[in-house]
Amino acid sequence: MHLDDTDRALIAALQSNARLPVADLARSLGLARTTVQARLERLERSGAIVGYTLRLGEATRAPLHATALVNIELRAGPAVLARLRSLPGVQVVHTTSGRFDLLVQIAAQTTQELDETLDRIGETRGVKGSESLIHLSTKIDRRG
């Protein structure tokens, strides 16, 4: 799907506040409400917009975040992913190229909880080794 400047402006407005009423979006973009509604429906149908979500503020987020870089044994991926899926502190898992096989993002309320999650990852059958990085501060966050 091709996105034009109006589509991008509409998406940017929704990324700032997904709860904006269509009338407010139309007013801020200088478009008719029906035009904005039609564009939203087209963006949703095409998969450019797949949903609207709630972003939590700092007061409700876990205070500790870490990344575990994990090496796994050959063909152990499905079992390791199943174990990672069962750990509540594991938020996101990416496969990677390079020295590590998986990048695991973790959130925890306490250092003990973080330590336990890292221990569970390290003891998982199929994990050859891992290295963890505790996030200290966020300098750039464009996730919208």
Side-chain angles (χ1 to χ4, degrees):
M1 166 181 197
H2 172 74
L3 298 178
D4 64 17
D5 289 341
T6 302
D7 291 331
R8 283 189 273 283
L10 179 56
I11 289 169
L14 288 170
Q15 284 178 307
S16 294
N17 182 358
R19 293 183 62 182
L20 283 173
V22 174
D24 290 355
L25 289 166
R27 195 170 19 268
S28 71
L29 297 172
L31 298 170
R33 193 186 83 54
T34 55
T35 300
V36 170
Q37 186 64 49
R39 281 182 178 261
L40 284 172
E41 290 169 5
R42 181 178 52 83
L43 290 167
E44 291 168 359
R45 269 193 319 275
S46 72
I49 295 177
V50 295
Y52 301 85
T53 187
L54 171 71
R55 287 185 3 198
L56 299 175
E58 285 298 318
T60 57
R61 288 188 206 145
L64 297 172
H65 298 270
T67 297
L69 304 169
V70 180
N71 282 319
I72 61 174
E73 295 172 359
L74 193 60
R75 292 186 267 292
V80 171
L81 287 173
R83 174 67 169 146
L84 293 174
R85 202 173 281 113
S86 76
L87 299 174
V90 172
Q91 304 294 298
V92 179
V93 178
H94 300 280
T95 58
T96 65
S97 62
R99 281 184 347 157
F100 297 96
D101 301 304
L102 301 174
L103 184 149
V104 181
Q105 294 179 334
I106 302 163
Q109 293 296 321
T110 64
T111 54
Q112 180 179 349
E113 185 181 313
L114 177 59
D115 191 37
E116 289 171 5
T117 299
L118 291 169
D119 285 348
R120 299 297 82 75
I121 292 170
E123 69 190 21
T124 299
R125 170 171 274 158
V127 170
K128 290 194 293 189
S130 67
E131 183 175 325
S132 59
L133 308 161
I134 295 175
H135 303 188
L136 299 177
S137 66
T138 301
K139 302 297 185 187
I140 299 172
D141 185 350
R142 293 188 176 128
R143 289 177 289 179

